[in-house]
């Protein structure tokens, strides 16, 4: 392919050393226009105007085609394309001197030092052979020619700047004097000549150049010299060098702040950062983001110090938050580039920065970045370097970066940090320290402030500071010491938000839920741009986005201190009432799809309207247990913000799920909240009755029975027979636990009457209480009859859960009637049916009975497996009496295995708890097993003492206890 020249006379070189001659001016003009616009489309009108400046001929199109054909004939391989936008001459960068010139200039601007830059600039200037298109005058190209001449002059000046910086002034004087003669008004040239003369020891000649420049400017333009020329003139007058010579860079350059001595935790994060930044491939970039106060900068400094050996040429530390041009200027000066040699253009500065780091091993730490574009301008260009960025933003637009989101400290890390800051009293006052840690949300900044306050005031009790911090109204005020403040840290992130995101921030801050599903977030914000606002909050680390929950909804969480800051802002109109209505309706619908295992009646209420679309509701409640699991913490917290009656209604729905899964602690806290807020006795009695039920489940029989009786008295007076019936049935079971079988049977009869007086079907709970009481009274046949009726009624419903529960009672009374095979078959069917349901408490009960029946009928291994599984379930459900009875059975099996000494302490622990619960039968059975253990261990006295007490507690009528004795004794026999 030919080579072309336009920087001087138009030239075309075919084969090397062979110059092509173009005969006609119009051929030369056409080629010149295309070359000055190489690789760009040139419209036909432009070409016509260039070829025929005055008036084109009518046949201009065919003439233009002819000229192009002749050019192709004369120039071998000429590539001219034609399309809708015009003609385009295609050339490679090395085939046209103008493109070679511009490529060399770009290399000079990117060069890392003045010496290298000057070499590139000289290579660029060497492309010029004279004026552009010398000998060919094309009026249409006058502006292009003038622009190129100006470009050449600017490059010459850049070259001179670089060579002056490098100390090469001697050979420049003559060249500059010639250029000044040609451009007498060019102030930059004059300033450069003044510098060169001054360095050559010709101070007077240098001052004369300034005098002539000033005279010329005043006479021809009426203006004084500009600031740069005056600066150089003043420096020459003082005898100073206006452009200090470029010192060689001094490596390594370490700008890291000191690593703090009390840095705590973050081992996993440190390992991840050092692993990413220590890679040998490319330029690794790690972005460390997180909410305000998470300790991003501190962690970055710690990681950078650990990596110093990996980056022997240095570590640059750049606090951002200002113009990237200023940052680059500071970096270049730190890398040895003197002020006057720092380019004016930001892109040129970035190029010099990359050049300075070329072939070096340097870690660049960019602290508190706000914009991916700023980070891109500060990235090194060659392998060996690495970049660590901290930001409140996620910097999602930064491609290829490794992102690490920094959350709060772990509980142990938070305690260690507080201990380092405040001393040993943190360990001594551990409970109050835990309260401080919780109030600080385990954020390092908040903990550092709290620890510093304790260190400043050694006599300040941790409990006193914890009390202040637990007051949400004043918490952010308390988290301030010296120049550290949590509020100001969050404010920096908040100030960068756009108005829609600020509004969303305020709405989410006033929503006091733990976390929110995505539907609730968009409903709460209630505007078309809700998604964009949420994304901005997540990007700013003011809102945490979590993965989808079991219903498929993404979750969003605002950490406590951020939420407190958001709640301080003015109230904002939003969709909170819609979210509340939808949540209450969802809870009702979800509860209706689960089996109600709570032995209390549902609270009567009118159907709740649902504002959400049907399709969304169907998806959310496809598996109601999953919805309750996802929203459990929110619903418990919401109860505390509602009125007592509304809270009771919500809790009644939530209790269906909580009771089913044994979340008794949540139930207890929620009902205590309702009780404290109740302003009428009807609501209070319902709360008290449910709290009695929870005490009952925990084995607190005395307290539960007393509470049941008090509630029954008030319910009888108010005429609430249905609730009274359920309370009476529960009281009957509680009395059985206390060993009061006659009273339990009478109470069960009262419950039956209360159920049937209004035409209500009696609960299975009543039949179960009657059967259990009859068995304790030795009336086995009557109990078995009750259980047969209960099983028949359950089978009529077709409900596996009800059938499984009825089979449990039938199996146990069958064993007591001597029908071992029938008992074993019934309890096996019960367990099989209940395994397929969500009724884990009923399953645990049937498994325990399976263990007892198996032990009594000689199936030892099956018995111990059933007892172990039942104990695990009871432990998960916090059903302590059942857990203890299973533990007693397992300890009995140890005796048979020759492990009596291991069984004794376990049995004594069970005995102590069962005594406190008041269960005579359970206590007596445990004493019986303990006596067998002591006897096997050789402790005759202990065995006799336990056996005697067991005999005192035994009731000869109690058929259930007798069957259990049979099972437990069988387990104690040698395996």
């Amino acid at each position: 392919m030919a080579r072309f020249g336009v920087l001087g006379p138009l030239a075309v070189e075919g084969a090397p050393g062979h110059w092509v001659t173009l005969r006609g001016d119009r051929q030369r003009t056409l080629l010149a226009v295309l070359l000055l616009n190489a690789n760009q489309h040139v419209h036909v009108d432009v070409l016509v105007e260039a070829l025929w400046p005055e008036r084109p001929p009518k046949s201009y199109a065919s003439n233009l085609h002819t000229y192009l054909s002749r050019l192709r004939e004369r120039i071998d391989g000429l590539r001219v394309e034609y399309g809708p936008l015009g003609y385009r001459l295609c050339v490679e960068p090395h085939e046209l001197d103008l493109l070679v010139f511009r490529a060399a200039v770009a290399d000079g601007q990117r060069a890392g030092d003045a010496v290298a830059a000057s070499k590139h600039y000289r290579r660029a200037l060497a492309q010029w052979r004279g004026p552009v298109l010398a000998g060919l005058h094309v009026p249409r190209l006058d502006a292009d020619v003038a622009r190129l001449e100006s470009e050449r002059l600017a490059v010459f000046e850049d070259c001179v700047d670089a060579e002056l910086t490098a100390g090469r002034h001697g050979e420049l004087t003559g060249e500059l004097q010639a250029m000044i003669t040609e451009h007498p008004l060019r102030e930059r040239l004059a300033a450069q000549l003044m510098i060169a003369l001054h360095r050559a020891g010709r101070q007077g000649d240098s001052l004369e150049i300034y005098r002539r420049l000033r005279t010329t400017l005043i006479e021809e333009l009426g203006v004084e010299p500009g600031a740069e020329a005056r600066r150089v003139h003043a420096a020459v007058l003082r005898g100073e060098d206006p452009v200090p010579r470029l010192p060689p860079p001094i490596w390594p350059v370490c700008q890291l702040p000191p690593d703090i001595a009390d840095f705590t935790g973050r081992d996993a994060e440190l390992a991840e950062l050092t692993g990413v930044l220590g890679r040998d491939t490319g330029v690794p970039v790690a972005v460390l983001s997180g909410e305000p106060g998470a300790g991003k900068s501190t962690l970055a400094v710690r990681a950078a110090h650990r990596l110093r050996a990996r980056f022997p040429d240095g570590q640059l530390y750049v606090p951002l938050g200002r113009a990237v041009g200023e940052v680059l200027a500071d970096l270049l000066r730190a890398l040895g580039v003197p002020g006057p040699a720092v380019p004016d253009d930001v892109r040129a500065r970035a190029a010099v920065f990359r050049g300075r780091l070329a072939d070096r091993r340097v870690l660049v730490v960019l602290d508190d970045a706000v914009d991916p574009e700023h980070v891109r301008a500060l990235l090194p260009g060659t392998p060996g370097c690495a970049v660590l960025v901290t930001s409140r933003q996620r910097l999602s637009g930064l491609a290829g970066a490794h992102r690490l989101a920094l959350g709060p400290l772990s509980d142990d890390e938070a305690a260690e940090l507080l201990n380092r800051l405040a001393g040993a009293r943190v360990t001594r006052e551990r409970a109050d320290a835990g309260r401080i840690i919780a109030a600080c949300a385990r954020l390092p900044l908040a903990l550092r402030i709290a620890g510093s306050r304790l260190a400043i005031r050694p006599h300040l009790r941790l409990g006193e500071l914890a009390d202040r911090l637990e007051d949400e109204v004043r918490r952010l005020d308390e988290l301030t010491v010296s120049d550290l403040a949590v509020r100001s840290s969050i404010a920096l992130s908040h100030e960068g938000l756009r108005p829609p995101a600020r509004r969303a921030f305020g709405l989410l801050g006033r929503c006091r839920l733990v976390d929110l599903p995505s539907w609730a977030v968009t409903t709460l914000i209630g505007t078309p741009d809700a998604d964009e606002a949420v994304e901005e909050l997540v990007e700013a680390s003011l809102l945490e986005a979590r993965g989808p929950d079991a219903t498929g909804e993404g979750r969003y969480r605002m950490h406590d201190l951020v939420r407190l800051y958001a709640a301080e802002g003015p109230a904002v109109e939003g969709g909170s009432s819609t979210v509340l209505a939808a949540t209450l309706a969802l809870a009702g619908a979800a509860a209706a799809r689960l089996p109600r295992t709570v032995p209390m009646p549902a609270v009567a209420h009118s159907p709740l309207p649902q504002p959400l679309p049907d399709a969304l509701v169907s998806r959310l409640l496809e598996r109601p247990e999953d919805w309750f699991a996802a929203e459990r913490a929110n619903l418990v917290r919401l109860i505390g913000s509602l009125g007592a009656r509304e809270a009771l209604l919500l809790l009644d729905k939530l209790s269906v799920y909580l009771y089913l899964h044994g979340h008794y602690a949540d139930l207890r806290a929620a009902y205590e909240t309702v009780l404290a807020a109740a302003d009428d006795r009807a609501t209070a009695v319902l709360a008290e009755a449910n709290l009695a039920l929870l005490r009952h489940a925990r084995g607190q029989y005395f307290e539960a029975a007393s509470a049941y009786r008090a509630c029954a008295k008030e319910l009888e007076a108010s005429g609430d027979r249905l609730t009274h019936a359920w309370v009476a049935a529960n009281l009957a079971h509680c009395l059985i636990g206390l060993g009061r079988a006659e009273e339990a049977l009478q109470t069960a009869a009262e419950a039956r009457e209360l159920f049937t007086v209004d035409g209500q079907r009696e609960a299975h709970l009543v039949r179960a209480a009657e059967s259990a009481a009859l068995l304790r009274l030795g009336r086995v046949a009557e109990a078995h009859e009750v259980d047969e009726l209960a099983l028949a009624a359950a089978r009529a419903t077709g409900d596996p859960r009800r059938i499984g529960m009825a089979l449990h009672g039938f199996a146990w009374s069958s064993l007591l009637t001597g029908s071992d095979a029938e008992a074993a078959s019934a309890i096996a069917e019960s367990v099989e049916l209940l395994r397929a349901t969500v009724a884990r408490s009923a399953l645990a009960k049937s498994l325990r009975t399976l263990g007892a029946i198996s032990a009594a009928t000689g199936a030892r291994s099956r018995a111990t497996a059933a007892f172990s599984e039942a104990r695990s379930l009871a432990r998960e459900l916090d059903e302590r009496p059942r857990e203890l009875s299973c533990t007693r059975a397992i300890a009995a099996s140890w005796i048979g295995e020759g492990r009596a000494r291991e069984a004794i302490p376990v049995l004594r622990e069970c005995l102590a708890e069962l005594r406190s619960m008041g269960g005579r039968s359970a206590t007596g059975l445990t004493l019986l097993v303990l006596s067998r253990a002591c006897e096997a261990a050789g402790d005759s006295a202990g065995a006799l003492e336990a056996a005697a007490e067991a005999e005192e507690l035994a009731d000869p009528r109690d058929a259930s206890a007798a069957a259990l004795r049979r099972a437990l004794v069988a387990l104690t026999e040698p395996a």
Side-chain angles (χ1 to χ4, degrees):
M1 180 61 187
R3 296 170 60 88
F4 302 94
V6 294
L7 303 181
L10 180 65
V12 181
E13 184 181 18
H18 176 69
W19 299 94
V20 178
T21 302
L22 300 177
R23 294 183 177 84
D25 283 347
R26 287 199 172 93
Q27 284 188 42
R28 298 169 66 212
T29 297
L30 176 59
L31 181 60
V33 175
L34 292 173
L35 286 172
L36 285 188
N37 296 276
N39 298 320
Q40 301 178 43
H41 285 95
V42 183
H43 198 275
V44 172
D45 291 346
V46 174
L47 295 175
V48 170
E49 182 184 350
L51 292 169
W52 297 283
E54 297 178 356
R55 188 174 184 179
K58 292 182 180 180
S59 59
Y60 70 84
S62 62
N63 291 350
L64 178 58
H65 182 73
T66 299
Y67 296 147
L68 283 170
S69 298
R70 290 175 180 173
L71 283 175
R72 289 191 179 99
E73 292 172 1
R74 297 289 298 160
I75 305 172
D76 186 36
L78 185 70
R79 301 188 300 274
V80 180
E81 300 173 350
Y82 177 71
L85 300 178
Y87 290 91
R88 180 173 67 170
L89 174 60
C90 300
V91 296
E92 297 298 327
H94 65 278
E95 295 173 345
L96 176 62
D97 58 2
L98 175 58
L99 298 182
V100 175
F101 165 75
R102 286 177 172 162
V105 171
D107 289 341
Q109 292 172 338
R110 287 192 296 267
D113 58 67
V115 174
S118 69
K119 290 179 181 178
H120 291 301
Y121 290 138
R122 285 295 177 184
R123 180 164 56 89
L125 293 170
Q127 301 300 314
W128 290 75
R129 297 169 286 107
V132 176
L133 298 175
L136 178 64
H137 180 242
V138 183
R140 182 64 179 77
L141 298 179
D142 286 348
D144 294 323
V145 170
R147 176 173 49 79
L148 285 173
E149 293 291 349
S150 296
E151 196 173 329
R152 174 192 183 188
L153 182 57
V155 171
F156 174 76
E157 291 171 337
D158 288 344
C159 180
V160 171
D161 273 346
E163 293 182 344
L164 287 173
T165 300
R168 297 177 178 176
H169 52 273
E171 58 268 35
L172 289 174
T173 306
E175 197 173 6
L176 283 167
Q177 285 176 329
M179 293 295 283
I180 278 289
T181 302
E182 188 177 347
H183 303 282
L185 299 177
R186 192 79 173 184
E187 294 187 42
R188 188 179 177 190
L189 284 173
Q192 291 172 331
L193 179 55
M194 292 167 63
I195 295 168
L197 290 170
H198 177 62
R199 285 187 179 173
R202 299 165 59 184
Q203 185 178 21
D205 292 340
S206 177
L207 295 173
E208 176 60 22
I209 294 297
Y210 181 80
R211 186 193 65 76
R212 287 199 305 229
L213 171 68
R214 182 172 182 273
T215 300
T216 303
L217 288 172
I218 291 173
E219 289 179 352
E220 297 196 18
L221 302 178
V223 297
E224 291 281 347
E228 179 63 14
R230 295 198 305 272
R231 184 190 67 80
V232 173
H233 179 247
V236 173
L237 286 173
R238 293 193 300 269
E240 299 173 356
D241 189 347
V243 181
R245 291 174 177 81
L246 181 65
I250 301 173
W251 303 97
V253 179
C254 184
Q255 297 180 330
L256 293 178
D259 190 10
I260 60 174
D262 54 15
F263 184 91
T264 303
R266 303 297 196 193
D267 293 336
E269 291 88 347
L270 275 169
E272 183 174 345
L273 286 175
T274 53
V276 169
L277 297 172
R279 293 173 185 164
D280 290 328
T281 56
V283 180
V285 178
V287 176
L288 185 59
S289 63
E291 63 184 300
K296 300 178 290 294
S297 298
T298 306
L299 176 58
V301 171
R302 167 60 62 100
H305 276 285
R306 282 198 177 182
L307 288 164
R308 284 190 63 187
R310 179 74 177 161
F311 298 97
D313 290 322
Q315 303 83 40
L316 299 174
Y317 182 81
V318 186
L320 297 177
R322 53 201 175 113
V324 69
E326 296 178 21
V327 172
L328 281 166
D330 286 348
L331 283 171
L332 292 181
R333 283 189 284 269
L335 294 174
V337 179
V342 174
D344 294 331
D345 181 68
V346 173
R347 284 178 294 182
R349 290 180 181 179
V352 174
F353 173 66
R354 289 192 294 271
R356 280 272 156 171
L357 296 185
D359 300 322
R360 295 285 181 180
R361 300 192 66 84
V362 174
L363 174 65
V364 181
V365 181
L366 305 176
D367 190 29
D368 204 14
V370 296
D371 189 340
E373 186 62 33
H374 288 179
V375 174
R376 293 189 196 104
L378 298 168
L379 297 179
T382 54
C385 294
V387 181
L388 174 55
V389 186
T390 73
S391 178
R392 296 160 187 265
Q393 309 280 334
R394 284 177 47 82
L395 301 184
S396 300
L398 195 60
H402 178 89
R403 288 177 176 80
L404 173 59
L406 195 61
L409 296 171
S410 68
D411 288 329
D412 290 342
E413 290 172 340
E416 183 182 352
L417 176 58
L418 195 62
N419 186 66
R420 288 188 176 190
L421 294 165
R425 58 186 169 141
V426 171
T427 303
R428 293 195 304 269
E429 303 176 47
R430 187 170 301 170
D432 290 328
R435 292 167 59 202
I436 292 173
I437 290 168
C440 292
R442 293 180 282 114
L443 285 179
L445 175 60
L447 288 166
R448 192 165 292 282
I449 292 171
S452 298
R453 293 191 61 187
L454 291 169
I456 292 169
R457 300 175 61 188
H459 301 295
L460 176 63
R461 291 183 300 104
L462 269 68
E464 184 179 347
L465 180 58
D467 290 341
R468 296 178 183 178
L469 292 175
E470 286 177 341
D471 181 354
E472 291 193 351
V473 175
R474 59 188 292 187
R475 186 180 302 171
L476 292 179
D477 293 326
E478 293 291 337
L479 289 175
T480 302
V481 63
S482 185
D483 61 340
L484 298 178
V486 170
R487 180 182 280 109
S488 59
S489 178
I490 301 172
L492 287 173
S493 297
H494 178 253
E495 289 168 2
L497 298 176
R498 293 177 296 178
R502 288 194 180 193
R503 176 180 174 275
F505 182 67
L507 284 167
L508 291 168
R510 289 180 177 275
C511 184
R512 299 174 60 83
L513 301 182
V514 177
D515 65 355
L516 286 171
S518 55
W519 72 261
V521 171
T522 53
T523 303
L524 180 66
I525 298 171
T527 57
D529 59 357
D531 287 340
E532 290 81 356
V534 168
E535 288 175 5
E536 185 174 348
L537 291 175
V538 172
E539 185 72 18
S541 300
L542 292 173
L543 187 66
E544 180 185 1
R546 298 186 167 192
D549 58 27
T551 70
E553 285 290 292
R555 310 290 298 190
Y556 294 93
R557 178 186 180 91
M558 186 174 281
H559 288 283
D560 285 348
L561 297 178
V562 175
R563 178 181 58 79
L564 291 177
Y565 178 88
E568 290 181 340
V572 184
E573 289 287 333
S576 57
S577 59
T578 306
V579 173
L580 177 59
T583 302
L584 295 176
L586 285 169
R593 301 185 188 192
L594 292 177
R596 185 177 180 88
T597 59
V598 187
M600 291 293 291
V603 177
H605 65 89
S606 301
L608 297 173
Q610 176 56 266
L612 297 180
D614 292 342
L616 175 59
V617 173
S618 297
R619 179 170 62 79
L620 292 174
L621 299 184
E622 182 178 354
R623 294 182 297 275
E625 275 195 284
D626 289 343
W627 184 82
F628 270 125
E631 301 298 342
R632 170 185 156 197
N634 277 338
L635 296 173
V636 171
R637 191 165 186 170
L638 184 60
I639 286 165
S641 64
L642 298 174
R645 190 64 190 177
E646 292 79 7
L648 182 65
L649 176 59
L650 173 58
L651 181 51
D652 179 64
K653 306 305 179 187
L654 177 59
S655 66
V656 173
Y657 170 78
L658 295 179
Y659 196 88
L660 191 63
H661 290 271
H663 297 306
Y664 296 145
D666 282 351
L667 279 168
R668 187 177 302 108
Y671 274 112
E672 286 174 350
T673 299
V674 171
L675 181 60
D679 52 7
D680 65 279
R681 281 308 300 166
T683 300
V685 170
L686 288 175
E688 288 168 352
N690 279 279
L691 287 169
L693 178 64
L694 297 171
R695 294 190 189 97
H696 185 173
R698 283 285 298 159
Q700 298 168 346
Y701 296 131
F702 287 120
E703 298 88 339
S706 176
Y708 280 142
R709 287 193 177 96
C711 290
K713 186 176 181 181
E714 287 203 55
L715 290 166
E716 183 179 15
S718 68
D720 185 353
R721 285 189 289 267
L722 179 60
T723 308
H724 187 187
W726 281 96
V727 169
N730 286 318
L731 175 58
H733 280 276
C734 190
L735 291 169
I736 292 168
L738 288 169
R740 301 173 186 173
E742 293 92 343
E743 188 179 355
L745 188 60
Q746 180 182 351
T747 304
E750 293 172 2
R752 177 193 293 275
E753 182 180 351
L754 286 166
F755 270 115
T756 56
V757 72
D758 288 334
Q760 295 281 341
R761 188 176 64 185
E762 64 191 70
H764 168 74
L765 193 67
V766 176
R767 293 183 186 274
E770 287 177 338
S771 174
L774 288 168
L775 290 174
R776 294 295 179 94
L777 294 171
R779 297 158 61 179
V780 177
E782 294 176 60
H784 193 52
E785 184 179 345
V786 169
D787 290 329
E788 283 182 316
L789 291 172
L791 180 57
R795 289 197 187 279
T797 68
D799 183 347
R801 181 182 63 86
R802 293 186 181 180
I803 297 171
M805 292 169 64
L807 278 166
H808 166 268
F810 178 77
W812 187 242
S813 61
S814 294
L815 179 73
L816 271 60
T817 60
S819 303
D820 290 1
E822 186 177 46
S825 174
I827 197 61
E829 184 184 357
S830 172
V831 169
E832 182 181 358
L833 286 172
L834 290 172
R835 281 195 192 281
T837 72
V838 293
R840 296 199 302 157
S841 179
L843 174 61
K845 187 176 182 181
S846 285
L847 281 166
R848 182 184 62 174
T849 300
L850 172 63
I853 292 174
S854 298
T857 55
R860 183 187 186 89
S861 60
R862 187 179 186 187
T864 55
F867 278 126
S868 296
E869 186 179 355
R871 182 173 67 169
S872 296
L873 275 173
R875 184 173 292 158
E876 291 175 15
L877 297 169
D878 197 25
E879 294 179 342
R880 190 62 176 159
R882 187 166 296 143
E883 182 185 350
L884 290 171
S885 64
C886 290
T887 301
R888 176 184 62 204
I890 292 169
S893 72
W894 292 351
I895 300 171
E897 296 168 4
R899 300 162 57 193
R901 293 190 182 279
E902 293 179 51
I904 290 173
V906 173
L907 289 167
R908 292 196 184 279
E909 289 179 11
C910 291
L911 180 62
E913 284 200 61
L914 290 169
R915 279 190 200 279
S916 67
M917 292 177 183
R920 287 176 59 88
S921 176
T923 302
L925 288 168
T926 307
L927 284 163
L928 171 67
V929 178
L930 178 60
S931 71
R932 303 277 292 188
C934 290
E935 183 179 356
D939 181 5
S940 301
L944 289 172
E945 182 182 353
E949 189 177 354
E951 187 64 29
E952 288 179 13
L953 292 173
D955 183 346
R957 300 172 302 172
D958 192 342
S960 281
L964 282 172
R965 276 197 299 272
R966 171 187 166 192
L968 292 169
V969 168
L971 289 173
T972 64
E973 296 294 336

